[in-house]
Amino acid sequence: MQENGYKPGLEGVVAAETRLSHVDGQRGELIIAGQRVEALAPQASFEAVVFLLWNGRFPTPSEEAEFVADLASRRQLPAATMQLLTAVAPQQTPPMDALRMAAATLDLDSPTDNRALATTLLARMPTIVAAYDRLRHGQQPIPPDPALGHAANYLQMLDGKRPSAARSRALETYLNTVVDHSLNASTFTARVIIATQSDMVSAIVGAIGALKGPLHGGAPGPALDMVFEIGTLDRAEPYLRQKLEAGERLMGFGHRVYKVRDPRAEVLAIAAEHLFEADGDKRLYELVKGVEKTAVSLLAEYKPGRNLQTNVEFYTALLLNGIGLETALFTPTFAIGRTAGWIAHCFEQLENGRLIRPSARYVGAYPTVNEGTISR
Ligand code: ACO
């Protein structure tokens, strides 16, 4: 802490009260709406987790069926959104930028009721990502299928194939794992925007922008590229050592809050193990495990006392790759899951919140000449 209470990066500053999720960085615990992530993520449907976050309790079976149907009925994109995606695809705009642009158009035909708007926003995120992915590959978008759940429908809209139960479950586990994580950078962004009594679309668009950066949700692509570049386990140590000697950061390691292994890494590692077992090829899984071990021990050597451990992004890369997603889709897929958490925080901020307006310590110059004259 510096003088005048200034904390760079707001580290350790409590800026909200939330019932949505709790992160214990010393013990490596994540609780989502009263449930441990290890239990919740692999068992519940994504829709049930969203209902839990938005309503503070699990849905009854009939409420869950109703919510699943409501969400599924709102997936179709407005014509203006599709036109925008079609226009930017030939320029090969990165998918996260296309998502940010397209999400901004989503209030064009939506009701003003916040609950309905939130459901529509959540429903359409996978449609945007999948439609854009096909357009940028010169393919026609695949219409959403109301018979499928949120996760399975996203996979089908990407490649036109009915996904296996194992792939859908793996994606659902991923979406549940990343659905909410206390006051991370993108969630804070969403809360700051909604706290001005702006609108929910603006809050989600701002959050997408914050998530995109490599210090937040943009890390899994580079983390997987790193594993592919390493290629075989015997190359891991020299490769990682060289990166650390050059002062580079290892993507997928370190966290502002966790000083032990991120519990989400374990949930995703187990999900990846199940998926790779079903697939019959565990070579990448074994390589990732080995790279993790080497990286953690080298980080302890190069950054002693920093407790740099594996974060969620490292195993995100492995799991999403196993599901068959291209690297460019990793961060947009993170956004698809986290949108539900951003919206839950918007609801909470609207219920209890005050305008968020911290202070800054002024370190600039003061006028040196008389009142009314500009000092140059
Ligand atoms: N590789 C190498 N060194 C690292 C790493 C890393 N992955 N992470 C932190 N460090 C080092 C820093 O260089 C710094 O060293 P120094 O004091 O010798 O200069 C020290 O550890 C502290 O780093 P800070 O940047 O102050 O820590 P902060 O809490 O701000 O960073 C962050 C957290 C941004 C996640 C960081 O660990 C990082 O850049 N990791 C790599 C990117 C990544 O994996 N991002 C995904 C995070 S998970 C998520 O947001 C969903």
Side-chain angles (χ1 to χ4, degrees):
M1 174 143 136
Q2 306 200 352
E3 359 162 352
N4 297 344
Y6 168 47
K7 290 199 171 187
L10 300 183
E11 186 163 357
V13 172
V14 177
E17 283 190 330
T18 182
R19 58 162 183 79
L20 298 169
S21 56
H22 170 63
V23 179
D24 185 329
Q26 299 299 330
R27 290 161 54 163
E29 278 181 3
L30 168 59
I31 292 168
I32 298 175
Q35 309 292 325
R36 284 187 195 286
V37 67
E38 295 86 344
L40 183 71
Q43 293 185 54
S45 72
F46 178 68
E47 286 88 343
V49 172
V50 176
F51 189 102
L52 172 67
L53 279 171
W54 290 8
N55 298 284
R57 63 173 176 84
F58 277 115
T60 63
S62 68
E63 283 172 332
E64 184 170 346
E66 202 180 305
F67 184 56
V68 167
D70 186 22
L71 201 58
S73 72
R74 295 168 185 269
R75 290 177 181 147
Q76 205 74 40
L77 297 183
T81 310
M82 200 55 100
Q83 280 159 14
L84 175 88
L85 293 174
T86 308
V88 297
Q91 300 154 28
Q92 292 297 318
T93 299
M96 247 339 239
D97 292 326
L99 175 63
R100 172 178 46 75
M101 293 174 197
T105 66
L106 286 185
D107 60 342
L108 296 182
D109 73 343
S110 293
T112 47
D113 162 19
N114 255 348
R115 280 270 160 171
L117 178 58
T119 312
T120 304
L121 268 173
L122 183 69
R124 290 181 180 171
M125 298 293 272
T127 321
I128 294 175
V129 177
Y132 181 69
D133 193 56
R134 292 190 63 85
L135 288 166
R136 79 189 176 99
H137 286 104
Q139 297 165 320
Q140 275 305 307
I142 292 168
D145 181 348
L148 295 178
H150 201 68
N153 172 62
Y154 172 48
L155 292 175
Q156 182 167 289
M157 286 191 300
L158 282 170
D159 63 10
K161 296 186 198 126
R162 179 68 54 134
S164 67
R167 276 179 81 213
S168 302
R169 181 62 256 178
L171 180 62
E172 204 147 19
T173 299
Y174 170 73
L175 297 176
N176 290 346
T177 302
V178 299
V179 72
D180 198 48
H181 202 243
S182 181
L183 208 56
N184 59 85
S186 55
T187 300
F188 185 53
T189 305
R191 285 189 85 128
V192 168
I193 294 172
I194 205 76
T196 68
Q197 295 185 0
S198 176
D199 64 288
M200 195 151 328
V201 174
S202 301
I204 300 309
V205 171
I208 292 170
L211 185 73
K212 181 181 134 181
L215 299 192
H216 189 11
L224 189 66
D225 292 343
M226 184 177 82
V227 173
F228 282 142
E229 269 176 48
I230 290 171
T232 53
L233 199 48
D234 56 312
R235 286 171 35 86
E237 185 175 338
Y239 177 99
L240 295 171
R241 207 175 266 290
Q242 193 186 19
K243 271 199 176 294
L244 290 167
E245 293 280 351
E248 286 182 43
R249 290 185 179 215
L250 305 183
M251 292 293 133
F253 296 90
H255 197 273
R256 173 61 66 79
V257 182
Y258 290 119
K259 298 305 164 202
V260 295
R261 196 168 187 254
D262 184 334
R264 298 170 299 173
E266 188 57 20
V267 175
L268 298 185
I270 293 170
E273 194 178 4
H274 289 157
L275 185 68
F276 280 78
E277 259 159 14
D279 245 17
D281 181 4
K282 279 184 75 182
R283 272 173 301 180
L284 184 61
Y285 174 80
E286 300 297 351
L287 176 62
V288 164
K289 281 270 182 196
V291 170
E292 178 190 16
K293 210 168 153 203
T294 312
V296 169
S297 101
L298 288 178
L299 284 166
E301 181 185 327
Y302 281 85
K303 300 282 173 186
R306 291 289 188 188
N307 294 324
L308 297 172
Q309 303 288 332
T310 319
N311 66 43
V312 65
E313 302 291 39
F314 196 62
Y315 280 95
T316 290
L318 177 69
L319 184 63
L320 295 188
N321 175 267
I323 291 169
L325 300 191
E326 256 183 56
T327 309
L329 293 179
F330 290 177
T331 308
T333 305
F334 188 168
I336 287 172
R338 185 56 64 84
T339 298
W342 291 331
I343 290 170
H345 278 268
C346 286
F347 289 148
E348 196 172 62
Q349 184 68 36
L350 287 170
E351 273 165 31
N352 320 319
R354 258 188 108 197
L355 175 72
I356 299 171
R357 202 306 190 184
S359 307
R361 183 161 59 95
Y362 180 62
V363 293
Y366 285 90
T368 52
V369 291
N370 293 337
E371 207 178 308
T373 313
I374 294 174
S375 37
R376 292 184 190 270

